[in-house]
Amino acid sequence: MAQFVSGMLQQGEVMDLSDVISLISPTDTPLLSILMAQGRYTQAYDVKVSWREEALDTNRLSPSLEGAEAGSPVTTARTLISNNCQILSKVTAVSGTMTALNPKGVGQELNRQILLRLTEVKRDGEYYVLQGAKADESVSTPRQMNGLLNLVANSIDATDGLSEATIESAFKAMWDAGAAGGSNVIALMNATAKGLINKIFKDSAQLVTNGGMNQVLGTSVSKVVTDYGEAELILDRHMPADQILIVDLDQVELAELRPAQAEGLGKTGDNVKVQIVHEFTVKLLNKFAGAKIINVTK
């Protein structure tokens, strides 16, 4: 267990945990872990983060006559989109006795508890970045971000059954909008949807031999390639069981108002309290650079 707290956090003392949160729990939080590893951060300066999405003129140009006067000016349309910074926080407390014991194999208990709470904050952040439904703060309602499933513009219905054609349709929807073909595209799904994809491509299963001795037979699709783009397939248990999200990570950013941090709350008795906080949101710079397949049940 890494020791990132030396001694106790005094009341009001804040410790930056940005480097720690980027490394913990990568298999349980694949999307956040990838975005953090690729450095896809921006600084938020308000509780509401806004960006503008540009759209090219779709009118086809006509040939111009030689010597013709200049035509009418064209201005690129820019749509304002916004998302809310959401606060995720947890409090932990360690007794004076436990601090004094410093159990073997555990290390300093305060470090351990902070790391566990930080893991939970990152885990829940993964859920909201995917499934969050935007809500403005009111007396009893906290701010909540819109997740990527609510930010993407392309939606493909798989009620009739998931198939190669359905998957291709999702990539084609991105391609039709001129937002496909990137090299940093991933497809996130829960175990149910992943099992269906494995079943679709089961005829492609190959017998793998290891030195001619051990034979392993299985079907596990790790990448899908279509005429309109390709994506690495990633299991994410925070995805809805009946949906698949395809997104170009080059168009995704995290905007942090407060990076992951621990703040000392001081002693209120024979214990030390610490609050772990992460206040951030997600941005999808081009809503057509993603697609979701819904009603994936068969």
Side-chain angles (χ1 to χ4, degrees):
M1 186 71 65
Q3 299 295 308
F4 49 85
V5 178
S6 57
M8 296 183 182
L9 283 174
Q10 302 301 314
Q11 185 169 0
E13 183 182 356
V14 175
M15 177 178 59
D16 189 350
L17 298 177
S18 298
D19 292 340
V20 181
I21 196 172
S22 65
L23 298 175
I24 60 174
S25 195
T27 56
D28 192 34
T29 56
L31 177 57
L32 283 180
S33 296
I34 293 171
L35 291 172
M36 291 174 177
Q38 294 182 358
R40 301 196 176 279
Y41 293 95
T42 58
Q43 177 64 52
Y45 296 98
D46 200 346
V47 297
K48 188 179 291 292
V49 174
S50 300
W51 64 97
R52 291 188 179 273
E53 186 179 77
E54 296 181 339
L56 296 177
D57 182 13
T58 57
N59 295 316
R60 180 173 287 108
L61 289 172
S62 298
S64 296
L65 292 169
E66 182 177 339
E69 293 294 327
S72 301
V74 176
T75 302
T76 298
R78 304 178 73 221
T79 304
L80 182 66
I81 303 173
S82 65
N83 209 353
N84 290 334
C85 284
Q86 180 172 325
I87 302 170
L88 295 175
S89 67
K90 281 210 167 184
V91 175
T92 190
V94 177
S95 70
T97 300
M98 186 59 73
T99 301
L101 285 173
N102 194 21
K104 288 186 178 180
V106 174
Q108 191 189 63
E109 183 65 11
L110 183 58
N111 275 282
R112 179 172 180 272
Q113 292 300 325
I114 290 175
L115 189 59
L116 291 173
R117 300 295 79 74
L118 183 63
T119 302
E120 293 162 355
V121 165
K122 186 179 181 184
R123 174 202 66 196
D124 295 345
E126 180 90 0
Y127 170 87
Y128 286 108
V129 165
L130 290 168
Q131 297 197 48
K134 187 178 179 183
D136 293 329
E137 186 159 339
S138 65
V139 175
S140 58
T141 304
R143 293 190 309 274
Q144 187 167 309
M145 71 178 78
N146 240 351
L148 291 174
L149 287 169
N150 288 318
L151 289 173
V152 295
N154 304 304
S155 182
I156 306 298
D157 195 337
T159 300
D160 294 333
L162 186 66
S163 64
E164 290 186 59
T166 307
I167 296 170
E168 188 171 87
S169 295
F171 284 94
K172 186 176 184 297
M174 297 166 62
W175 181 82
D176 285 341
S183 60
N184 198 17
V185 180
I186 63 171
L188 294 153
M189 66 208 68
N190 210 317
T192 301
K194 184 60 166 63
L196 291 172
I197 288 180
N198 290 345
K199 185 177 180 181
I200 290 170
F201 295 100
K202 68 180 185 300
D203 292 337
S204 301
Q206 297 180 1
L207 186 67
V208 180
T209 61
N210 181 11
M213 299 295 293
N214 300 321
Q215 295 183 336
V216 180
L217 180 64
T219 306
S220 182
V221 182
S222 60
K223 188 174 186 177
V224 168
V225 180
T226 75
D227 289 335
Y228 308 103
E230 58 186 58
E232 300 288 341
L233 306 188
I234 298 177
L235 266 176
D236 193 322
R237 69 184 185 89
H238 305 288
M239 277 288 296
D242 63 345
Q243 295 190 41
I244 297 172
L245 173 66
I246 302 167
V247 66
D248 185 348
L249 293 184
D250 287 339
Q251 299 298 320
V252 180
E253 291 180 352
L254 301 176
E256 293 184 320
L257 187 59
R258 283 186 289 175
Q261 57 190 242
E263 180 178 3
L265 300 180
K267 290 177 67 67
T268 58
D270 188 23
N271 62 70
V272 176
K273 287 188 175 71
V274 174
Q275 179 172 240
I276 295 86
V277 178
H278 194 196
E279 187 170 5
F280 73 108
T281 191
V282 65
K283 299 162 62 177
L284 181 60
L285 303 179
N286 182 348
K287 64 177 177 290
F288 295 106
K292 60 183 177 183
I293 304 176
I294 62 174
N295 298 319
V296 180
T297 58
K298 60 182 179 178

